[in-house]
Amino acid sequence: MSTYRDFTLTHRGSARGTVLRTIGTRERRSHLTAPRVPTVGIDIGGTKVMAGVVDADGIILEKIRAETPDKSKSPKVVEDTIVELVLDLSDRHDVHAVGIGAAGWVDADRSRVLFAPHLAWRDEPLRDALQSRLVVPVMVDNDANTAAWAEWRFGAGRGEDHLVMITLGTGIGGAILEGGQVKRGRFGVAGEFGHMQVVPGGHRCPCGNRGCWEQYSSGNALVREARELAAADSPVAHDIIARVGGNVSEITGPLITELAREGDAMCIELLEDIGQWLGVGIANLAAALDPSCFVIGGGVSAADDLLIGPARDAFRRHLTGRGYRPEARIAKAQLGPEAGMVGAADLARLVARRFRRATRRRVERYERYAQWGLIDSPATADRKAVDTKAAEAKAADPATADPTTADLMDGDTQ
């Protein structure tokens, strides 16, 4: 009997591409029943596209990266980069699905990128565009959702039924997991915690509003405060001014963290300020969502207890009903910058399960119809002739399942 792999390889063709129908968009029942096959995860950021082959245990088998094409270029340029990375990895690995973690808003069907702040994607049908060029099913999701999934499956959130992840980078992203499912909201854009207003009339945010949380607790906020002190030639900024040779524009988040670890008082204080605002926001989220665990990820979380310690203190001070309710655990993410890639690959494995089932059913159909003499092979089947012969077969034996053209030529489209 033909196998799934035999069928897949037969239909790859010289161009290694095929048109696949849309895989169902419902959340899969359980990661526990997903096939233990390697998949590719893609993390698309403003500066790089990172791709990796990930096994069923969350272990990265191989990782490659490319620079993100300039955002002024067409979306197809980014798609070309993704396809090249996937095909490169598939030369050395038996890839069964591809998951994309995109920095932007992804619709509820996980097919279109509605908006990406760092790329020229506006209502871009990314899943279908990539799926038409690759031989495997494709899943698209927000990068914070994929990172949260990875931490729940393999990292700091293991064993938690109600988890909220907060990603601190240039801004603030986030995700909600409950009962083994990512909560994406009606329109797919849940988890944009960074744009909750915490200071009415406060700092202007690129989103157009004022006083957003990420203007007070993010990488941008940290760097802005340090540069303002350095530009004012504040005596507390002496060390950091000397470190950058007076070039204020060279002050970065990692540099601030490095100096804080070396004992620089100003940098320690700045991280404490960011951490306190982080704790205030977490307390607000606890009041609304009541999770059992908050996982803090993103580049700024590399400051460890210089940031998370003050966040825990502020959380306890501002938590509604403090002293009379259980407190959620606050933990640093464990998977680092690869979390989004690992989570995207693991979510894609759930899509691979349905694809494998549909493919197996098509193989069985083809063999059954070939035994009946309805077709020689899927490639040579004539649609009209197949339907005619199928009708004749059913008339001769009413118990025979009716093989339709869609069954024979396209297979399962759910």
Side-chain angles (χ1 to χ4, degrees):
M1 181 175 179
S2 298
T3 64
Y4 160 77
R5 180 169 171 78
D6 293 336
F7 175 82
T8 303
L9 292 176
T10 300
H11 289 78
R12 284 196 179 188
S14 59
R16 294 190 294 177
T18 187
V19 178
L20 302 177
R21 294 293 185 253
T22 302
I23 306 298
T25 58
R26 292 177 300 172
E27 191 75 40
R28 308 301 179 241
R29 284 177 296 175
S30 170
H31 64 280
L32 297 175
T33 59
R36 294 183 63 81
V37 294
T39 51
V40 168
I42 307 283
D43 183 20
I44 305 172
T47 60
K48 58 93 176 68
V49 179
M50 183 165 57
V53 179
V54 182
D55 71 11
D57 297 314
I59 297 172
I60 301 171
L61 305 179
E62 183 181 354
K63 179 177 67 175
I64 56 178
R65 60 181 289 165
E67 297 302 312
T68 303
D70 188 86
K71 64 182 180 180
S72 65
K73 298 178 181 177
S74 70
K76 187 176 181 301
V77 176
V78 183
E79 292 168 14
D80 291 342
T81 302
I82 295 170
V83 169
E84 286 302 315
L85 291 174
V86 172
L87 295 182
D88 185 7
L89 290 169
S90 68
D91 284 338
R92 298 177 295 282
H93 302 273
D94 185 20
V95 174
H96 289 253
V98 175
I100 310 288
W105 291 358
V106 178
D107 70 355
D109 289 337
R110 285 176 283 168
S111 62
R112 309 178 75 89
V113 180
L114 303 176
F115 172 76
H118 304 297
L119 298 168
W121 282 344
R122 304 294 183 269
D123 197 25
E124 183 66 27
L126 181 61
R127 182 186 67 189
D128 292 345
L130 291 173
Q131 202 157 259
S132 68
R133 302 175 63 181
L134 297 170
V135 75
V136 292
V138 175
M139 184 281 310
V140 179
D141 209 336
N142 172 265
D143 58 348
N145 288 342
T146 62
W149 180 268
E151 291 292 341
W152 175 70
R153 286 274 283 123
F154 310 111
R158 280 176 294 183
E160 300 288 351
D161 287 333
H162 296 79
L163 178 148
V164 170
M165 183 163 186
I166 299 165
T167 56
L168 298 178
T170 302
I172 295 179
I176 307 163
L177 272 85
E178 184 176 333
Q181 289 188 333
V182 178
K183 299 300 182 181
R184 298 177 176 85
R186 173 62 183 84
F187 304 107
V189 295
E192 292 296 330
F193 306 138
H195 299 289
M196 301 186 302
Q197 188 183 60
V198 295
V199 180
H203 290 295
R204 175 73 72 180
C205 180
C207 77
N209 294 326
R210 287 185 177 276
C212 291
W213 186 25
E214 68 176 40
Q215 291 305 305
Y216 299 88
S217 184
S218 67
N220 271 355
L222 180 66
V223 171
R224 182 192 65 227
E225 296 295 314
R227 288 180 177 178
E228 286 181 359
L229 286 168
D233 202 23
S234 170
V236 300
H238 174 77
D239 287 347
I240 201 167
I241 292 172
R243 182 66 66 92
V244 297
N247 190 347
V248 174
S249 64
E250 292 184 5
I251 295 175
T252 63
L255 175 60
I256 296 169
T257 299
E258 178 185 341
L259 287 173
R261 285 179 175 148
E262 293 174 2
D264 182 85
M266 182 199 78
C267 293
I268 292 172
E269 184 177 334
L270 290 178
L271 283 169
E272 287 177 348
D273 289 345
I274 297 297
Q276 288 171 7
W277 277 113
L278 176 60
V280 170
I282 291 175
N284 289 339
L285 290 173
L289 302 174
D290 191 30
S292 59
C293 177
F294 289 94
V295 176
I296 313 301
V300 182
S301 68
D304 298 322
D305 276 346
L306 290 168
L307 173 81
I308 296 178
R312 290 191 179 108
D313 293 340
F315 169 69
R316 295 188 184 101
R317 288 198 305 274
H318 293 90
L319 180 64
T320 301
R322 52 194 174 274
Y324 297 95
R325 58 177 290 176
E327 290 185 5
R329 181 169 65 95
I330 300 175
K332 182 192 172 186
Q334 294 179 358
L335 301 183
E338 286 85 17
M341 181 184 73
V342 171
D346 199 59
L347 285 167
R349 193 169 288 107
L350 303 178
V351 181
R353 176 180 64 189
R354 172 166 288 205
F355 178 71
R356 285 162 64 87
R357 288 176 177 173
T359 302
R360 190 177 298 112
R361 287 195 294 269
R362 287 199 294 271
V363 172
E364 292 169 353
R365 288 193 192 105
Y366 292 145
E367 291 180 339
R368 185 166 66 249
Y369 301 152
Q371 289 173 357
W372 293 344
L374 301 182
I375 59 174
D376 295 324
S377 71
T380 60
D382 176 80
R383 288 175 179 268
K384 186 174 181 180
V386 166
D387 286 340
T388 300
K389 290 184 178 182
E392 293 172 354
K394 185 176 182 182
D397 181 4
T400 300
D402 183 11
T404 64
T405 298
D407 287 334
L408 295 170
M409 305 303 292
D410 294 329
D412 238 293
T413 59
Q414 269 192 328

